[in-house]
Structure formats: C-alpha cells, structure tokens
Amino acid sequence: MTKIINAAIVGTGFIGPAHLEALRRLPNIEVKALCEVDIELAKEKAATLGIPKAYTFEEMLGDPSIDVVHICTPNFLHFSQSKEALLAGKHVVCEKPLATKIEEAKELVSLAKEKGLVNAVHFNLRYYPMVRQMKNMREKGELGDIYSIMGSYLQDWLFLQTDYNWRLEPDKSGDSRAIADIGSHLLDLTEYVTGLQVTEVMADFSTVHKTRLKPLKAIETYSGKMLQESDYEEVPINTEDHATVMLRFDNGNKGSVTVSQVNAGRKNRLNIEIAGSKSNFEWCSEKPNELWIGKREKANQHLMKDPSLFHKEAAGLISFPGGHNEGFPDTSKQMFKEVYAAVREGKQPDKPSFPTFEDGYRELLICERIIESHRKQAWVKI
Ligand code: SOE
C-alpha cells in the first residue's frame, strides 16, 4: 500500500488555506495539523477547515509523524520556522520570501543541503502550464535570441489609504514591500522562462501613501476591502507602493519591470513580454491559459492551453482538456506534485524541477540589490 505522507501547515491567513486545498487534490497526502502561535485560533481554523490536529509550532515539531512542514506565516517568521523544521528533520515548503535577510537565506540553503531534506519555495507562478510552455518553447529555439524583456505586476488591494495589512510593517515583512511581495514572483518567472540572469539593476521606488489608516483590529490579506466603518489610527509607511526597475541581463540585453500595489482595477495582474529574434511572447496571469505570439513575416498567433498543442514537458502540468480553464489554485497543486515526489524519495533531487531554497536565496539577493539601487539612485551589480 502507498504510504501516506503527513503534512502540517503553519499559518492560517490567505495562503495557508491555498496550500491546504492544493494538497487535498493530490493522492496519498494528509494535512494532519494546523499551527498558529495562538492555539485557540489554530483550533478554530482546524475545525473550520476539517484538519484533525491543532498545534503550536513547537508541538508540531515534536510530532514524529509529520513529514513535511509548509511555512505560510508572515515573512519575518520564515527563517526561524524553516530552520527549526529542518533541524527537527522535516522537509520544508516555505512561502516567499525565504527570509527577510540575505544571510538568513544563505544559512537555510546550507542547512537544507547538510540535512539532505527536501526544500522548496512557493514560486507557484512557474506552474501555470503556459509559463512552462514558454520556457520549453524558448529552450527549443522558438523564441530565438532574447532582445528585451518588459514585465509588470500590478494589484489594487492596497490602493486606498485605509487598506492595511501586516505586509506594510517592515518588522514583519522586511525592508521592501511591492518588490519583495510581487516583484519577487515576476523576477523569478523572468529568469525561469528566459534562462537569463539579471546582472545589474537600477531602481526607483515611490510610497504613494506616506501614512495609512491602520484598523485597530487585525485583518487578513485581501479581506480589508470588506471592512465597514471602523476605527483607525494613522501610521507612517516606509515601504514602496510602486517601483520601476531597469534590468541588465547576462546576454548583454536589457529590460524593465514595474510593480505596483496601488493600481485601481488591477486585481493581481502579472504581465510579461519577451521579445526574441524569432518571436515575441506576451503572457498575462489574469488570462493564464492564453499566449500571444508575435511574428514579423507572418500573422501573429494565439495559443490556447490544450495538452495536444503543448510540448510534452509543459503538457504534464495540465489536468484538464483544452477549453477547461485552470488557474491560480492549480499552480500550487502542480508544484506540490513535483515536491512530494521528492519527499517520497526522502531527499532533495540533484536537479530539482521545482523552486528550491537556492531560488529563494537568489530572489532575496536581487531584492536586496534593488533596495540598494533605489537608496543610492545608481546601478548596482547583483
Ligand atoms: C499579496 O500581495 C499576494 O498574496 C502575494 O503575497 C502573493 O505571493 C501573490 O500570490 C499575490 O499577492
């Protein structure tokens, strides 16, 4: 009989339940426990979500039946909780960013290597089938040499001065916000699809709301939009709502990314255009099953997600036939399929197909250089 792999999820905000749902759609995995610092909250959420055990983090580490820990807490806890989970011999799937400081991320990379345990960072956007298809098409030469890259990631859930979340507080989230929160996904996806590395950055940030009105009670990510009249206190904001970063790549060509969390009507929209010598790809996360392929000598093309039209490596990420749309929740399911295959083997593969702690470290490094560039108002090498 196939062994059941037991998982625990730490954190019950926006993304913890998304991990749970994805895991429940895969065979032979049981999410056995939910953890929160506040055990009463853990019990309440475990009951609502139908999870057998509610633990504090320490209690969970002491349970030998837990094989994998998903860290879905605010950013400042990622380092210490990933470290303790690895030291307790558990495989770890950590939310991005892997840590809030580069040295911490480095330490986690070494520790995970030393332990040989499976380690992954939830860069789930890589798992849209069309993203894998773009990567495969580029690898097969269908894009040609890359001339330029233009990306954006826009949201509106922090648009109003009254929108508030722990991500606005550097002691919980880190020194960067829009770049660390959504720019990290965009930059990871850019390097993943193109196979290029960013070598230098020139960044300019702006904080549109210099102060925000903080609700007196805590609210979960995205749910602030639902707040009624309430009591607020005015607090200063020190992280960026918007950023533009010019990029230099290791093939000598250039690009740019713009991220913003204050763009009305843009709910959660990553858009990337990669111009090559043979084609031009444009993909948008809000229409994830479509790819625009620009051509010079013939008519442009429009590819729709369909396993029969995809390269086989990308078709493996599709669970439904063409015309049956897959989306955000499917990305985590597809990622965990690959991660849990490694867990079943009991160790990190030599060449993991999924994003690892090393990828988490890389994103933190780029992010830190971007902050440095903004502060110096100068180009900074990665
Ligand atoms: C909030 O901005 C957020 O939930 C990010 O933290 C996620 O990584 C991304 O999925 C969408 O937005």
Side-chain angles (χ1 to χ4, degrees):
M1 218 179 79
T2 315
K3 180 188 175 295
I4 302 292
I5 298 170
N6 290 316
I9 294 178
V10 190
T12 57
F14 153 64
I15 206 70
H19 282 234
L20 169 67
E21 202 193 277
L23 291 170
R24 280 187 167 153
R25 294 165 65 202
L26 293 172
N28 303 312
I29 296 172
E30 190 189 354
V31 180
K32 205 173 159 187
L34 198 61
C35 307
E36 269 293 347
V37 182
D38 172 0
I39 189 68
E40 290 312 315
L41 177 64
K43 283 183 188 159
E44 184 193 315
K45 293 274 183 171
T48 315
L49 296 165
I51 298 177
K53 288 195 183 302
Y55 281 145
T56 60
F57 186 69
E58 290 67 30
E59 284 170 343
M60 181 275 296
L61 291 183
D63 180 342
S65 71
I66 302 290
D67 306 296
V68 189
V69 179
H70 289 242
I71 310 288
C72 302
T73 45
N75 303 352
F76 75 106
L77 293 169
H78 293 179
F79 166 66
S80 59
Q81 292 182 333
S82 295
K83 184 174 169 178
E84 285 178 52
L86 288 171
L87 289 172
K90 318 274 188 207
H91 305 290
V92 178
V93 178
C94 186
E95 258 308 320
K96 43 84 352 209
L98 178 57
T100 52
K101 296 193 178 52
I102 192 89
E103 307 74 42
E104 296 175 344
K106 207 181 245 171
E107 190 180 329
L108 288 177
V109 170
S110 318
L111 181 62
K113 207 170 269 169
E114 186 190 312
K115 294 275 171 193
L117 292 160
V118 175
N119 56 92
V121 174
H122 193 231
F123 282 124
N124 59 313
L125 303 194
R126 290 187 188 191
Y127 284 81
Y128 280 108
M130 200 59 87
V131 169
R132 186 72 67 90
Q133 173 69 6
M134 283 194 284
K135 174 179 161 62
N136 294 153
M137 288 172 77
R138 188 267 304 161
E139 285 167 347
K140 290 178 194 300
E142 295 168 43
L143 183 59
D145 296 332
I146 295 173
Y147 289 166
S148 68
I149 300 163
M150 187 170 68
S152 63
Y153 197 151
L154 311 175
Q155 298 180 323
D156 77 357
W157 68 281
L158 290 173
F159 177 67
L160 300 173
Q161 202 202 3
T162 46
D163 289 327
Y164 203 83
N165 181 265
W166 58 263
R167 285 179 177 78
L168 293 153
E169 297 170 10
D171 60 332
K172 297 198 180 61
S173 190
D175 291 339
S176 150
R177 176 167 30 99
I179 284 289
D181 189 31
I182 52 179
S184 56
H185 277 298
L186 177 56
L187 289 158
D188 176 73
L189 190 136
T190 300
E191 291 197 334
Y192 177 69
V193 170
T194 63
L196 299 179
Q197 288 215 315
V198 178
T199 55
E200 273 179 90
V201 293
M202 167 77 216
D204 203 8
F205 293 0
S206 52
T207 303
V208 173
H209 296 300
K210 309 274 187 281
T211 62
R212 285 184 183 256
L213 301 177
K214 179 178 177 178
L216 294 174
K217 65 178 175 59
I219 47 161
E220 285 178 2
T221 309
Y222 289 110
S223 49
K225 284 181 183 176
M226 263 88 90
L227 272 190
Q228 302 298 310
E229 280 295 301
S230 167
D231 289 333
Y232 296 97
E233 61 169 325
E234 191 169 359
V235 293
I237 298 297
N238 308 311
T239 52
E240 74 285 4
D241 289 312
H242 171 278
T244 295
V245 188
M246 289 197 284
L247 306 167
R248 290 180 178 158
F249 293 98
D250 58 357
N251 73 344
N253 284 332
K254 318 283 164 72
S256 67
V257 290
T258 294
V259 298
S260 171
Q261 296 186 306
V262 291
N263 266 51
R266 297 302 191 195
K267 302 304 167 194
N268 188 50
R269 183 183 196 269
L270 182 153
N271 199 82
I272 188 161
E273 179 154 340
I274 309 169
S277 56
K278 293 194 185 154
S279 311
N280 187 3
F281 293 167
E282 187 195 21
W283 179 79
C284 176
S285 67
E286 287 190 341
K287 289 185 180 161
N289 297 302
E290 299 173 27
L291 177 67
W292 179 84
I293 305 171
K295 291 284 175 191
R296 164 68 188 250
E297 292 92 353
K298 56 181 180 178
N300 298 333
Q301 297 169 3
H302 185 212
L303 174 66
M304 283 184 74
K305 184 210 65 159
D306 182 328
S308 69
L309 300 174
F310 269 38
H311 290 306
K312 78 171 182 337
E313 301 88 335
L317 297 187
I318 301 178
S319 296
F320 295 89
H324 299 74
N325 284 333
E326 286 161 280
F328 181 81
D330 300 274
T331 58
S332 305
K333 179 187 87 171
Q334 298 296 349
M335 176 173 158
F336 298 159
K337 214 194 260 179
E338 293 181 4
V339 173
Y340 276 71
V343 170
R344 210 161 272 292
E345 295 297 316
K347 59 178 175 44
Q348 186 80 340
D350 290 338
K351 286 197 177 131
S353 54
F354 51 84
T356 64
F357 279 14
E358 292 210 28
D359 297 298
Y361 166 76
R362 169 103 190 131
E363 269 335 296
L364 227 66
L365 178 69
I366 297 178
C367 182
E368 224 172 74
R369 298 294 184 262
I370 288 176
I371 300 172
E372 187 186 333
S373 164
H374 165 69
R375 286 191 180 140
K376 292 183 174 160
Q377 290 286 290
W379 281 96
V380 171
K381 286 195 179 10
I382 303 294

